[in-house]
C-alpha cells in the first residue's frame, strides 16, 4: 500500500498559516481539558492483580510458618540466581526442613518464574512496589523478612487475604489437570478454561 | 531629593519585575502543563504557587561551578551583562501615562541598543565557557540576533513614520484611545514581521536555536549552574517582557483600553503584555523548531523584504493621505 | 525456489568450495570453505533467479565444543534472504583456529560492516579488507574475545579502565572528595569483614 | 547497487579550508536516546564525518544465554528493546518453538498477535513522542505518552509487569486474557484513530515539521537494502519487506492488513509509514479480538520451566547452589534436536532475528541476536554525513533506535 500524503498547502493557506493555526487551536482546546496527571505519593496507582512486586513467603495460617518444602524448583529456575535456600533432611518425617531462605532482591528481575513453578504456593511477588531503601542490606530478604512482607501485604489487602489468588498461582486459562494440588484454587469462572473470553465472530459461529 | 525618589522608583520597579519574572515562569509552566494535559507545578504551596520562590532559593544555594578551562572573568560577567542590559531597557517603558522612569525622546532606539547589548552576554557566555556546545550556541545566537535585529528595526520604521516620533509615550498617544486607532491595523505586515522577530530575539520556540535542548544540550548556558544560570533565565524572561511591552506600545495602543481603571492605570498595559506572553507560551507548546539555516533564510529572505516593502507602502500611503 | 535447489546450484557452481549441505527444519545451511566466500556471496546476490538481496545476519560461531562433523574451530554464518523471490539460505564458512580471518563482505553489502566488527570483537575472527576493523561493543583495550568457548562466563579480570577508576576513587577518598561508591573489591571485603567481626 | 555509500560531502567552505573540530555527542545527551555516542567532525555546523560509538550498554546476552536454558533466557529478551519487550518475547518464543518443533495453540497465536501489535503501538508512540521532541514539538510527546500509558496498564493487567513482561512462554502464553482486558482494548482501538488525528494536527502538515523532515536523510531503495535496514526505515524507501507478510508467524496469516510503503525515503516518508502502521496495528488488534477462538493457551508439549518433581535430581542437603537439577536433567533427557536455525520476526523497530545452534543439551550452544537497532545505528553515517547537527538529531530519531537492543 502506497502512502497517501496530504495535499500541499496553497498560497492562501501559506499566508494565513492555516495549518499552524489548526495546531494552535488544538493546543488551546487541550488547555481546558482535564489533566491526566496522577499526584503520585498521595494518589496511588491502581495495582492489578498478579503484579510482580516485592517478594514474600506466604505464612501458613495453621502453622504460622512458611509453606516452603525446599523442593528447590524456584532456585533452579531463577534466571538471575538470586534465591538461596539451605535445608536439611528431617530423618523422622522424611521431609526437608528449610534452614534459611534468602532472596537478594537487588538481583531479582521480577520475572515471576519462581512463583510460577512453586508447587505449594509458598512464594509470591506481592503488589507492594515501594520499598526502596538507602542501603543494600535492607533489600536483602531472609526468611523472617519475607514472612513479614507477607504480613504487611496481608494487612494491606485486608480481610480478602484468605481468598487472595495470584494469577501466577492459578493461571488464567490453564486447565486444572496440569496444576499441582495446591495450585488448584477456586477462581472466578472467567479464569477457567471453560469461561474463556472469545471473539465476536467466534461467538456468532457457535 | 529628586535622585532619592528616582532610586526608590527604580527599586520598586526592580522588585516588581523580579516578582514578575518569578511568576512568569510559573505562568509558563502552568499553561504549558495544561496544554499538555498535565498539571504543571503542584507541590509547593497551593497549586504550586510558591514554586518560583522555592526555585529561586534553590538556585541561590546551588554550587556555582566554573569550568576549569573557562575564561573566569568573562564567564562570571556574561550573565550580569545580559541581566543589566535587559533591566536597563525597562527604564524607558511607559507603563501608563506618566508611569515611566526616563521619558527620553529616543526610547525605541535605546531599547534596540540594549537588547543588542544583551546578546553580547550570550555570545560571551558561549565563548567563555570553553565548551563546544556553548560555543555553537553563542555562534547561533550571534547570527540570529544580527539578522533579526535588522528585521525588527525595519518593521518598526512604519510605526515611527505614522507616529512621527521615537518617544514611546508619544507613540502610544499617537494611536489615540480608540480601538481602531491601534497601529496593528494599518501596520499588519509590520506587526507580523515584528512578532516573528520578537520570537527570534528572545530565543523562543520555534527559534530557540541558541539553547536548543535536543541539539546543543542547553546551548550557551550549558556550563552554567546555580545563580548564574538563574540570571540568564531572568534575563530571558525580562527580555520577553520588554519585547511584549514594545509590541503593546507600538501596535496595541499601550495603556489605553476600553475603559479607565482608576486605581491601577497600567491595567490594560499589563493585560496586553500578558496576552503577548500567553501567545509566546502557546507557540512554544505547539510548534517544532526550525533548523539554523532555515531560520537565517526566513530572516533574510522573507522578513527583511517584507519589512522594507512595508516601509515603502507606508511611505506611499502617508504621502497620498497626508 | 526451494532453498535446497539453491544449495545444489551453489554446489554445481562452486564444486570445490561446498563441503556439506545440511537441512534442519526446512532451513538449509551450506558449509563452505572460506577462501572464495566473497565470490559465493556475490554469486548468490547477483544471479537473477536467486537474487539474495537482503543480508539478514552474520555471526561467528566457536565450534570448539560442538558435536559431530569435521568442522574447523570457527565458522562465520551468513543468513541471506531474497525479498522479491522470498527464499533464504545460510552459508557457513569454516575458519581455522590458527589463522582466524576471512574476507569481508562489506564490498557487497555495506550493512555487513558492523556485523563483522561485532564478530571480530566478540569472537576474534578478523575480516580482511574491512574498512574499520576495530572493537565495537567492548572497550578498545579489552583483552580476549568473550564468545569463545574457553572464555569464562564470569570474565577474566577487571577491565583496565575500571581498575584505573577505582584507584582514582581511592585517591579521592583520601582527600575526602568521594563517598567511595566504587570501592575496590579488596577494600569492600575488608570492610565487610570488619562489620562481621 | 554495489556502490559504497559515502555521499559526496558538499561543505560550504568560507575562506581557506575551514577549521574542523570534533564534537563528541553523547553518551549523555538529550537526543541520543540512551547511551549512544556519536563522534562528529564538524565544519561549523556541517557534519563532515560521523561515527557512532556503541557498547555502553553491552551485557553479553549471547554469552549469558549459552549458560541458561531456553526458558530462562526469555527474560533476557525483555531487556533488548525495552520499549516493546512483548514483541521481543514473542520473537524469541517463535524462534525457540521452531527450533524445538513445538506447535502453538490457535488461541495463544491470536493472543500473541494482539500483544505484539499492542507493543508496536506502544513503541511507535514512544518513537513519535521522542522524534517530535527532538525536532522541538514538545507537546506531541505528552499526548503520545497518554495513550502509551493505556497500553502499559493493559500489559500490567495481563501479566503483572509494565515493562519487562516475560509473558509468552515457549509453546504458548502464560495467562489468558480477561474480559476487562478485551473491553478496554476494544475501546482503545476504536478511539485510537482519533488520537492519531490529534498528533497529525500538530505536526503532519506543519510547515516547520515539513521543512525539518522532507528531503532530509534520503535513502534510495538500493541504499537502504545495502545498509541492511529493515522495518519502517526500509519500507519508507519503497521496499516491500514485512516479515509478517513474507514469513508469517503467529496469527498474521489469518488477519488482513496492509504494509504501508513510500518511495520518497526521507524522514517524512518514514514518519508517514509509521503513522500508517499505527492504523494497521489497530486494525489487526480489532480483527484478532473478533476472531479470538476458545481453546488452550499453551501447547501440551511445551517444555516446563523446570522438570517435573518426580524427575528432579536429588539435591544435596545443605547446598545452596543453583541449577544443579535442571541443567543436568535436560542434558540427560536428550529431548532437544541438534541443528541450527535462524528465525526472525517483525518487531516495531525492524527485523529481530534469533540464530540458535542447538547441540541437544537444554541450553543453546550459541545464540545470536540480530537486532535492528544495531544495524540502524550503523547506517547513521550514511544518513547524516554532509548535513547539519540539527538533521543528525532528526536522523537519529527517524531510525528509531533503542540502545538496549543495539548493545545487547
Amino acid at each position: 500500500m502506497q502512502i497517501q500524503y496530504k495535499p500541499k498547502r496553497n498560497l492562501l493557506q501559506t499566508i494565513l498559516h492555516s495549518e499552524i493555526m489548526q495546531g494552535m487551536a488544538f493546543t488551546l482546546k487541550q488547555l481546558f481539558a482535564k489533566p491526566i496527571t496522577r499526584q503520585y505519593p498521595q494518589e496511588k496507582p491502581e495495582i492489578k492483580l498478579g503484579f510482580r512486586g516485592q517478594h514474600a513467603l506466604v505464612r501458613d495460617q495453621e502453622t504460622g510458618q512458611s509453606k516452603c518444602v525446599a523442593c528447590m524448583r524456584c532456585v533452579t529456575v531463577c534466571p538471575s540466581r538470586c534465591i538461596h535456600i539451605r535445608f536439611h533432611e528431617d530423618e523422622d518425617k522424611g521431609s526437608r526442613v528449610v534452614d534459611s531462605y534468602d532472596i537478594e532482591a537487588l538481583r531479582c528481575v521480577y520475572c515471576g518464574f519462581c512463583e510460577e513453578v512453586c508447587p505449594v504456593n509458598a512464594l509470591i511477588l506481592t503488589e507492594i512496589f515501594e520499598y526502596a531503601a538507602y542501603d543494600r542490606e535492607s533489600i536483602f530478604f531472609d526468611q523472617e523478612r519475607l514472612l513479614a512482607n507477607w504480613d504487611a501485604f496481608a494487612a494491606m489487602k485486608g480481610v480478602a487475604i484468605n481468598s487472595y489468588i495470584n494469577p501466577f498461582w492459578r493461571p488464567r486459562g490453564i486447565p486444572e489437570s496440569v496444576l499441582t494440588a495446591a495450585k488448584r484454587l477456586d477462581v472466578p469462572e472467567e479464569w477457567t478454561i471453560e469461561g474463556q473470553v472469545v471473539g465476536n465472530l467466534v461467538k456468532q459461529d457457535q | 531629593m529628586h535622585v532619592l525618589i528616582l532610586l526608590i522608583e527604580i527599586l520598586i520597579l526592580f522588585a516588581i519585575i523580579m516578582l514578575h519574572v518569578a511568576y512568569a515562569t510559573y505562568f509558563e509552566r502552568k499553561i504549558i502543563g495544561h496544554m499538555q494535559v498535565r498539571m504543571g507545578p503542584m507541590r509547593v504551596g497551593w497549586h504550586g504557587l510558591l514554586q518560583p520562590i522555592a526555585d529561586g532559593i534553590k538556585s541561590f544555594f546551588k554550587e556555582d561551578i566554573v569550568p576549569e578551562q573557562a575564561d573566569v572573568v568573562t564567564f562570571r560577567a556574561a550573565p550580569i551583562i545580559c541581566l543589566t542590559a535587559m533591566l536597563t531597557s525597562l527604564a524607558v517603558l511607559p507603563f501608563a501615562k506618566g508611569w515611566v522612569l526616563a521619558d527620553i525622546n529616543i526610547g525605541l532606539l535605546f531599547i534596540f541598543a540594549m537588547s543588542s547589548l544583551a546578546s553580547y552576554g550570550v555570545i560571551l557566555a558561549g565563548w567563555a565557557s570553553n565548551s563546544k556546545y556553548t560555543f555553537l550556541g553563542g555562534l547561533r545566537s550571534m547570527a540570529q540576533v544580527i539578522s533579526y535585529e535588522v528585521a525588527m528595526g525595519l518593521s518598526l520604521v512604519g510605526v515611527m513614520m505614522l507616529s512621527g516620533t521615537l518617544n514611546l509615550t508619544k507613540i502610544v498617544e499617537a494611536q489615540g484611545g480608540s480601538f481602531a486607532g491601534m497601529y496593528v491595523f494599518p501596520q499588519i505586515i509590520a506587526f507580523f514581521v515584528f512578532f516573528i522577530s520578537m520570537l527570534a530575539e528572545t530565543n523562543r520556540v520555534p527559534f530557540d536555536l541558541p539553547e536548543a535542548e535536543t541539539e546543543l544540550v542547553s546551548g550557551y548556558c550549558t556550563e552554567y549552574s546555580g545563580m548564574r544560570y538563574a540570571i540568564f533565565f531572568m534575563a530571558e524572561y525580562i527580555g520577553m517582557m520588554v519585547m511584549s511591552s514594545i509590541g503593546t506600545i507600538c501596535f496595541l495602543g499601550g495603556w489605553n483600553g476600553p475603559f479607565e481603571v482608576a486605581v491601577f492605570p497600567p491595567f490594560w498595559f499589563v493585560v496586553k503584555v500578558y496576552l503577548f506572553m500567553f501567545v509566546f507560551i502557546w507557540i512554544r507548546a505547539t510548534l517544532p523548531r526550525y533548523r539554523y539555516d532555515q531560520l537565517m533564510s526566513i530572516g533574510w529572505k522573507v522578513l527583511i523584504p517584507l519589512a522594507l516593502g512595508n516601509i515603502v507602502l507606508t511611505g506611499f500611503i502617508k504621502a497620498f493621505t497626508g | 525456489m526451494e532453498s535446497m535447489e539453491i544449495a545444489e546450484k551453489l554446489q554445481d557452481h562452486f564444486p570445490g568450495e561446498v563441503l556439506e549441505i545440511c537441512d534442519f527444519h526446512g532451513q538449509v545451511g551450506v558449509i563452505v570453505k572460506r577462501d572464495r566466500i566473497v565470490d559465493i556471496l556475490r554469486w548468490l546476490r547477483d544471479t537473477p533467479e536467486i537474487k539474495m538481496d537482503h543480508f539478514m545476519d552474520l555471526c561467528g560461531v566457536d565450534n570448539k565444543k560442538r558435536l559431530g562433523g569435521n568442522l574447523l574451530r570457527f565458522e562465520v554464518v551468513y543468513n541471506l534472504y531474497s525479498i522479491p523471490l522470498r527464499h533464504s539460505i545460510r552459508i557457513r564458512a569454516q575458519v581455522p583456529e590458527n589463522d582466524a580471518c576471512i574476507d569481508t563482505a562489506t564490498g557487497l553489502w555495506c550493512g555487513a560492516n558492523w556485523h563483522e566488527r561485532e564478530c571480530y570483537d566478540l569472537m576474534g575472527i578478523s575480516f580482511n579488507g574491512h574498512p574499520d576493523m576495530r572493537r565495537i561493543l567492548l572497550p578498545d583495550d579489552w583483552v580476549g574475545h568473550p564468545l569463545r568457548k574457553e572464555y569464562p562466563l564470569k570474565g577474566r579480570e577487571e577491565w583496565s579502565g575500571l581498575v584505573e577508576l577505582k584507584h582514582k576513587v581511592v585517591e579521592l577518598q583520601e582527600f575526602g572528595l568521594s563517598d567511595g561508591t566504587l570501592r575496590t573489591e579488596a577494600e569492600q571485603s575488608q570492610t565487610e569483614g570488619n562489620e562481621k567481626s | 547497487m554495489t556502490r559504497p555509500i559515502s555521499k559526496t560531502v558538499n561543505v560550504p567552505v568560507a575562506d581557506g579550508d575551514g577549521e574542523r573540530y570534533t564534537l563528541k555527542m553523547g553518551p549523555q545527551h538529550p537526543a541520543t536516546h540512551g547511551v549512544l555516542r556519536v563522534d562528529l567532525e564538524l565544519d561549523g555546523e556541517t557534519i563532515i564525518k560521523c561515527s557512532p560509538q556503541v557498547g555502553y550498554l553491552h551485557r553479553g546476552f549471547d554469552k549469558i544465554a549459552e549458560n541458561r536454558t531456553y526458558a530462562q533466557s526469555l527474560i533476557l529478551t525483555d531487556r533488548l528493546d525495552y520499549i516493546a519487550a512483548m514483541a521481543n518475547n514473542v520473537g524469541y518464543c517463535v524462534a525457540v518453538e521452531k527450533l524445538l518443533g513445538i506447535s502453538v495453540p490457535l488461541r495463544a497465536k491470536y493472543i500473541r498477535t494482539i500483544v505484539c501489535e499492542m507493543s508496536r503501538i506502544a513503541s511507535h508512540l514512544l518513537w513519535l513522542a521522542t522524534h517530535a521532541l527532538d525536532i522541538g514539538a514538545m507537546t506531541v510527546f505528552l499526548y503520545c505518552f497518554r495513550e502509551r500509558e493505556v497500553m502499559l496498564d493493559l500489559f500490567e493487567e495481563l501479566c503483572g509487569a509494565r515493562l519487562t513482561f516475560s509473558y509468552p512462554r515457549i509453546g504458548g502464553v502464560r495467562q489468558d486474557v480477561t474480559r476487562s482486558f478485551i473491553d478496554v482494548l476494544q475501546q482503545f482501538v476504536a478511539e485510537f484513530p482519533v488520537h492519531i488525528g490529534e498528533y497529525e494536527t500538530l505536526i503532519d502538515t506543519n510547515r516547520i515539521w515539513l521543512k525539518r523532515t522532507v528531503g532530509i536523510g534520503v535513502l534510495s531503495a538500493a541504499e537502504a537494502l545495502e545498509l541492511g535496514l529493515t522495518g519502517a526505515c526500509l519500507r519508507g524507501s519503497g521496499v516491500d519487506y514485512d516479515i509478517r507478510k513474507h514469513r508469517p508467524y503467529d496469527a498474521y496469516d489469518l488477519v488482513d492488513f496492509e504494509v504501508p510503503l513510500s518511495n520518497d525515503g526521507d524522514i517524512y516518508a518514514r514518519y508517514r509509514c509509521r503513522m500508517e502502521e499505527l492504523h494497521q496495528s489497530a486494525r489487526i488488534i480489532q480483527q484478532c479480538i473478533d476472531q479470538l477462538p476458545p481453546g488452550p493457551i499453551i501447547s501440551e508439549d511445551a517444555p516446563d520451566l523446570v522438570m517435573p518433581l518426580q524427575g528432579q535430581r536429588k539435591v544435596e542437603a545443605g547446598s545452596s547452589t543453583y541449577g544443579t537439577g535442571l541443567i543436568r536433567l535436560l542434558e540427560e533427557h536428550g529431548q532437544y534436536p541438534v541443528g541450527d536455525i535462524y528465525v526472525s520476526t517483525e518487531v516495531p523497530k525492524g527485523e529481530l532475528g534469533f540464530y540458535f545452534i542447538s547441540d541437544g543439551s537444554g541450553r543453546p550452544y550459541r545464540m545470536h541476536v540480530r537486532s535492528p537497532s544495531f544495524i540502524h545505528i550503523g547506517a547513521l553515517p550514511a544518513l547524516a554525513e554532509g548535513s547539519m547537527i540539527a538533521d543528525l538529531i532528526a536522523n537519529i530519531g527517524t531510525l528509531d533506535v533503542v540502545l538496549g537492543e543495539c548493545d545487547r
Side-chain angles (χ1 to χ4, degrees):
Chain A
M1 181 190 79
Q2 282 290 327
I3 295 288
Q4 298 299 311
Y5 294 115
K6 293 209 172 122
K8 286 221 165 67
R9 56 172 192 272
N10 56 32
L11 184 67
L12 188 70
Q13 283 169 332
T14 306
I15 291 173
L16 292 179
H17 292 70
S18 61
E19 87 286 355
I20 288 181
M21 290 305 157
Q22 272 172 10
M24 302 272 282
F26 180 71
T27 40
L28 189 65
K29 205 176 89 199
Q30 292 296 316
L31 180 60
F32 305 103
K34 197 175 175 305
I36 52 161
T37 313
R38 185 188 297 130
Q39 294 290 331
Y40 161 61
Q42 287 93 24
E43 217 181 307
K44 303 277 185 198
E46 185 203 344
I47 301 296
K48 306 286 190 332
L49 193 58
F51 184 82
R52 309 202 293 253
Q54 190 185 34
H55 320 71
L57 275 177
V58 177
R59 198 186 282 279
D60 195 338
Q61 303 231 306
E62 287 154 24
T63 61
Q65 279 306 312
S66 152
K67 288 181 179 174
C68 179
V69 293
C71 70
M72 306 300 275
R73 287 166 72 98
C74 51
V75 180
T76 311
V77 80
C78 183
S80 61
R81 298 172 182 177
C82 69
I83 306 177
H84 305 282
I85 304 179
R86 285 178 179 278
F87 66 89
H88 64 268
E89 303 260 348
D90 191 331
E91 298 294 333
D92 306 337
K93 291 185 209 159
S95 62
R96 292 171 176 178
V97 179
V98 180
D99 296 330
S100 74
Y101 192 110
D102 299 328
I103 294 182
E104 287 178 69
L106 286 172
R107 289 189 64 161
C108 179
V109 294
Y110 302 91
C111 57
F113 285 0
C114 48
E115 51 175 343
E116 185 177 333
V117 297
C118 184
V120 292
N121 297 343
L123 182 62
I124 178 190
L125 295 176
T126 64
E127 293 166 23
I128 297 169
F129 61 96
E130 305 158 292
Y131 56 102
Y134 287 103
D135 55 297
R136 286 164 175 270
E137 287 72 28
S138 45
I139 315 191
F140 182 89
F141 297 136
D142 56 9
Q143 201 167 0
E144 280 69 48
R145 274 295 305 275
L146 287 165
L147 286 166
N149 286 349
W150 168 257
D151 294 339
F153 177 59
M156 195 187 91
K157 290 294 271 193
V159 284
I161 199 69
N162 290 330
S163 57
Y164 177 77
I165 301 162
N166 189 321
F168 272 86
W169 290 354
R170 172 69 152 95
R172 297 189 286 260
I174 299 246
E176 260 190 9
S177 55
V178 302
L179 299 171
T180 57
K183 291 208 153 199
R184 292 178 193 168
L185 302 164
D186 286 334
V187 288
E189 197 264 335
E190 195 190 312
W191 285 24
T192 60
I193 199 150
E194 293 79 27
Q196 277 175 336
V197 187
V198 292
N200 303 329
L201 296 179
V202 180
K203 225 181 267 171
Q204 283 160 18
D205 291 346
Q206 281 171 349
Chain B
M1 199 59 202
H2 184 70
V3 174
L4 201 64
I5 290 170
L6 200 61
L7 274 179
I8 290 168
E9 277 179 0
I10 289 171
L11 267 183
I12 291 172
L13 182 64
F14 182 73
I16 289 174
I17 291 297
M18 281 303 152
L19 209 63
H20 153 84
V21 167
Y23 277 89
T25 60
Y26 176 76
F27 185 60
E28 169 155 14
R29 290 169 69 179
K30 272 286 180 196
I31 300 264
I32 288 198
H34 280 272
M35 280 182 174
Q36 294 171 345
V37 291
R38 56 192 177 89
M39 284 169 166
M42 288 292 282
R43 294 282 175 214
V44 193
W46 183 79
H47 275 250
L49 266 177
L50 298 178
Q51 184 71 47
I53 317 254
D55 283 348
I57 294 171
K58 181 196 75 175
S59 45
F60 257 113
F61 286 103
K62 275 181 98 169
E63 188 186 355
D64 179 25
I65 299 166
V66 181
E68 215 168 80
Q69 301 286 311
D71 184 324
V72 180
V73 178
T74 329
F75 184 83
R76 294 217 163 117
I80 314 285
I81 294 176
C82 255
L83 186 67
T84 319
M86 281 303 173
L87 281 173
T88 317
S89 46
L90 287 168
V92 295
L93 289 181
F95 301 102
K97 192 158 176 58
W99 285 50
V100 52
L101 280 180
D103 193 9
I104 56 175
N105 278 332
I106 48 155
L108 211 47
L109 284 185
F110 181 78
I111 284 178
F112 281 147
M114 283 303 144
S115 75
S116 307
L117 208 57
S119 67
Y120 275 98
V122 171
I123 295 158
L124 286 177
W127 178 78
S129 307
N130 214 343
S131 149
K132 283 163 187 169
Y133 290 118
T134 61
F135 185 61
L136 279 175
L139 284 182
R140 281 180 174 192
S141 176
M142 183 148 54
Q144 190 168 325
V145 167
I146 288 172
S147 7
Y148 279 80
E149 196 85 358
V150 178
M152 181 180 250
L154 289 176
S155 73
L156 289 177
V157 170
V159 174
M160 297 172 200
M161 287 163 80
L162 286 186
S163 61
T165 174
L166 284 173
N167 183 312
L168 294 173
T169 314
K170 286 191 180 130
I171 290 176
V172 174
E173 278 165 357
Q175 293 176 54
S178 69
F179 182 71
M182 293 199 296
Y183 282 162
V184 65
F185 301 115
Q187 291 290 325
I188 182 75
I189 301 172
F191 182 67
F192 174 75
V193 175
F194 172 79
F195 189 78
I196 306 282
S197 329
M198 181 165 91
L199 289 172
E201 277 277 306
T202 49
N203 298 339
R204 299 288 300 182
V205 173
F207 306 105
D208 61 339
L209 301 171
E211 46 196 300
E213 187 180 302
T214 48
E215 293 157 30
L216 302 183
V217 188
S218 192
Y220 59 86
C221 45
T222 306
E223 302 293 340
Y224 283 86
S225 57
M227 202 53 216
R228 277 174 221 285
Y229 179 77
I231 289 175
F232 272 122
F233 214 70
M234 280 183 224
E236 187 187 324
Y237 276 85
I238 296 172
M240 263 166 78
M241 199 205 146
V242 170
M243 287 300 159
S244 308
S245 306
I246 299 175
T248 308
I249 289 163
C250 293
F251 293 101
L252 297 185
W255 59 81
N256 291 316
F259 55 87
E260 291 266 321
V261 182
V263 200
F264 185 58
F267 177 77
W268 290 109
F269 184 85
V270 173
V271 168
K272 285 168 187 172
V273 166
Y274 266 84
L275 193 71
F276 263 108
M277 300 273 280
F278 177 75
V279 178
F280 270 107
I281 294 162
W282 188 10
I283 286 175
R284 180 169 172 210
T286 313
L287 295 184
R289 181 186 303 124
Y290 271 113
R291 204 173 63 199
Y292 172 63
D293 56 330
Q294 291 164 350
L295 166 102
M296 299 304 283
S297 78
I298 290 173
W300 290 100
K301 291 183 189 160
V302 180
L303 294 185
I304 291 180
L306 265 181
L308 285 172
N310 180 58
I311 294 171
V312 175
L313 201 69
T314 315
F316 270 116
I317 292 170
K318 186 108 177 154
F320 285 118
T321 58
Chain C
M1 205 189 297
E2 287 296 313
S3 302
M4 208 40 147
E5 278 179 62
I6 301 170
E8 279 156 10
K9 271 197 171 179
L10 185 71
Q11 195 166 21
D12 294 344
H13 213 270
F14 296 93
E17 296 296 311
V18 176
L19 299 171
E20 197 184 332
I21 296 172
C22 36
D23 185 357
F24 180 69
H25 285 317
Q27 295 196 359
V28 175
V30 185
I31 302 177
V32 299
K33 290 179 188 162
R34 66 168 169 167
D35 303 330
R36 291 185 65 198
I37 185 69
V38 178
D39 294 335
I40 292 172
L41 294 175
R42 181 177 290 124
W43 182 80
L44 283 170
R45 193 191 65 179
D46 293 342
T47 310
E49 71 269 22
I50 296 175
K51 212 170 166 23
M52 295 284 181
D53 53 354
H54 179 40
F55 187 85
M56 284 199 294
D57 191 23
L58 179 151
C59 75
V61 180
D62 183 357
N63 287 333
K64 192 178 185 186
K65 294 181 179 169
R66 199 168 175 183
L67 306 168
N70 37 6
L71 301 169
L72 295 177
R73 170 71 198 269
F74 296 111
E75 70 182 42
V76 176
V77 183
Y78 302 83
N79 280 295
L80 305 177
Y81 183 73
S82 166
I83 289 173
L85 303 174
R86 303 198 176 190
H87 50 224
S88 62
I89 198 162
R90 173 157 53 248
I91 305 294
R92 292 164 58 187
Q94 298 298 313
V95 178
E97 184 174 8
N98 50 13
D99 179 28
C101 65
I102 190 168
D103 290 339
T104 178
T106 44
L108 304 173
W109 290 276
C110 55
N113 186 329
W114 278 31
H115 283 299
E116 291 181 351
R117 276 179 71 187
E118 188 201 345
C119 181
Y120 165 71
D121 188 2
L122 301 177
M123 193 62 83
I125 302 171
S126 62
F127 289 81
N128 303 328
H130 188 281
D132 187 20
M133 201 79 250
R134 284 182 296 136
R135 284 186 183 273
I136 183 164
L137 293 171
L138 300 175
D140 288 341
D141 53 350
W142 191 270
V143 181
H145 300 284
L147 280 185
R148 290 189 174 183
K149 286 290 171 188
E150 78 266 11
Y151 199 92
L153 178 64
K154 207 185 164 188
R156 291 220 172 94
E157 67 260 355
E158 289 295 8
W159 171 52
S160 59
L162 189 64
V163 176
E164 230 168 74
L165 194 66
K166 280 177 172 172
H167 283 305
K168 203 146 218 175
V169 170
V170 174
E171 260 171 49
L172 286 173
Q173 245 175 328
E174 280 165 22
F175 297 102
L177 289 169
S178 165
D179 55 355
T181 4
L182 267 173
R183 287 178 297 186
T184 55
E185 268 172 12
E187 260 194 322
Q188 210 157 4
S189 55
Q190 198 185 348
T191 43
E192 271 166 21
N194 291 344
E195 277 160 19
K196 271 175 196 160
S197 60
Chain D
M1 208 172 90
T2 50
R3 81 178 177 81
I5 299 172
S6 57
K7 287 183 183 165
T8 38
V9 183
N10 298 315
V11 185
V13 179
D15 13 53
D17 45 7
E19 204 173 315
R20 293 177 184 183
Y21 63 104
T22 52
L23 178 65
K24 305 218 170 187
M25 203 176 225
Q28 310 297 335
H29 187 279
T32 50
H33 292 218
V35 283
L36 168 67
R37 188 179 100 211
V38 189
D39 289 358
L40 299 173
E41 200 170 302
L42 296 170
D43 179 9
E45 288 223 3
T46 315
I47 298 163
I48 291 168
K49 195 161 170 294
C50 154
S51 71
Q53 310 288 327
V54 297
Y56 289 92
L57 217 55
H58 177 64
R59 291 150 288 177
F61 276 8
D62 307 15
K63 190 78 178 176
I64 299 172
E66 285 171 20
N67 295 276
R68 299 274 192 284
T69 64
Y70 290 104
Q72 281 177 321
S73 291
L74 178 69
I75 61 139
L76 296 176
T77 59
D78 280 331
R79 284 142 186 91
L80 278 174
D81 172 5
Y82 38 78
I83 308 298
M86 202 65 106
N88 302 325
N89 287 168
V90 172
Y92 178 80
C93 289
V94 167
V96 177
E97 281 151 13
K98 187 101 188 272
L99 176 73
L100 306 184
I102 296 168
S103 64
V104 183
L106 192 61
R107 185 177 175 84
K109 284 189 172 181
Y110 271 104
I111 295 175
R112 281 186 185 184
T113 311
I114 290 176
V115 295
C116 265
E117 291 309 310
M118 280 169 68
S119 70
R120 188 180 313 277
I121 289 178
S123 168
H124 278 10
L125 283 176
L126 194 108
W127 155 78
L128 178 64
T130 50
H131 187 38
L133 186 70
D134 285 350
I135 296 188
M138 64 189 291
T139 302
V140 182
F141 183 79
L142 285 136
Y143 294 160
C144 289
F145 266 73
R146 183 180 59 188
E147 271 75 62
R148 186 177 147 84
E149 189 67 16
V150 179
M151 290 286 103
L152 296 188
D153 281 345
L154 282 174
F155 281 138
E156 186 190 335
E157 181 170 350
L158 192 61
C159 64
R162 294 173 68 83
L163 275 176
T164 50
F165 307 114
S166 301
Y167 169 68
R169 291 285 180 272
I170 296 160
V173 294
R174 170 60 183 156
Q175 289 173 47
D176 209 345
V177 293
T178 57
R179 168 56 59 196
S180 64
F181 174 86
I182 292 289
D183 288 347
V184 176
L185 187 59
Q186 177 106 48
Q187 199 195 349
F188 175 83
V189 169
E191 284 173 3
F192 193 47
V194 180
H195 292 306
I196 299 175
E198 288 176 1
Y199 318 139
E200 289 181 348
T201 316
L202 285 172
I203 52 180
D204 201 50
T205 51
N206 189 308
R207 66 189 64 191
I208 305 176
W209 181 265
L210 290 175
K211 270 202 164 174
R212 289 298 303 279
T213 55
V214 174
I216 312 285
V218 185
L219 284 179
S220 70
E223 283 171 332
L225 258 179
E226 201 188 323
L227 285 164
L229 298 185
T230 45
C233 295
L234 186 60
R235 294 191 285 271
S237 294
V239 181
D240 185 3
Y241 179 53
D242 189 323
I243 299 163
R244 295 176 292 173
K245 287 277 190 200
H246 274 235
R247 301 189 289 277
Y249 54 98
D250 288 347
Y252 282 113
D253 47 351
L254 302 170
V255 292
D256 178 34
F257 68 100
E258 304 209 38
V259 180
L261 294 173
S262 170
N263 286 328
D264 296 353
D266 57 3
I267 295 179
Y268 190 69
R270 295 190 272 271
Y271 153 78
R272 284 302 318 163
C273 275
R274 291 202 176 95
M275 293 306 269
E276 197 54 48
E277 275 178 26
L278 285 175
H279 282 288
Q280 298 297 334
S281 290
R283 219 177 117 196
I284 294 172
I285 293 176
Q286 184 60 55
Q287 290 177 52
C288 287
I289 292 175
D290 287 342
Q291 299 172 11
L292 192 64
I297 54 165
I298 189 155
S299 162
E300 279 177 11
D301 46 347
D304 260 347
L305 278 176
V306 266
M307 298 310 292
L309 263 182
Q310 57 268 30
Q312 180 87 27
R313 189 167 160 273
K314 202 173 173 189
V315 182
E316 297 292 317
S319 76
S320 76
T321 49
Y322 29 73
T324 39
L326 182 70
I327 291 160
R328 288 281 177 73
L329 258 174
L330 293 178
E331 278 167 358
E332 288 157 17
H333 210 251
Q335 61 173 349
Y336 290 91
V338 180
D340 57 343
I341 202 158
Y342 176 83
V343 180
S344 54
T345 51
E346 183 80 17
V347 295
K349 309 276 183 290
E351 172 181 348
L352 178 74
F354 287 95
Y355 179 64
F356 285 109
I357 297 177
S358 163
D359 59 351
S361 67
R363 299 165 287 172
Y365 178 79
R366 170 91 166 91
M367 178 181 101
H368 179 255
V369 189
R370 184 250 192 244
S371 58
S373 297
F374 184 69
I375 313 302
H376 286 188
I377 294 179
L380 187 60
L383 287 164
E385 278 178 9
S387 63
M388 302 182 88
I389 291 179
D391 293 333
L392 171 77
I393 304 301
N395 278 322
I396 294 175
T398 192
L399 288 175
D400 191 15
V401 292
V402 167
L403 270 291
E405 188 183 54
C406 171
D407 296 348
R408 293 160 305 197

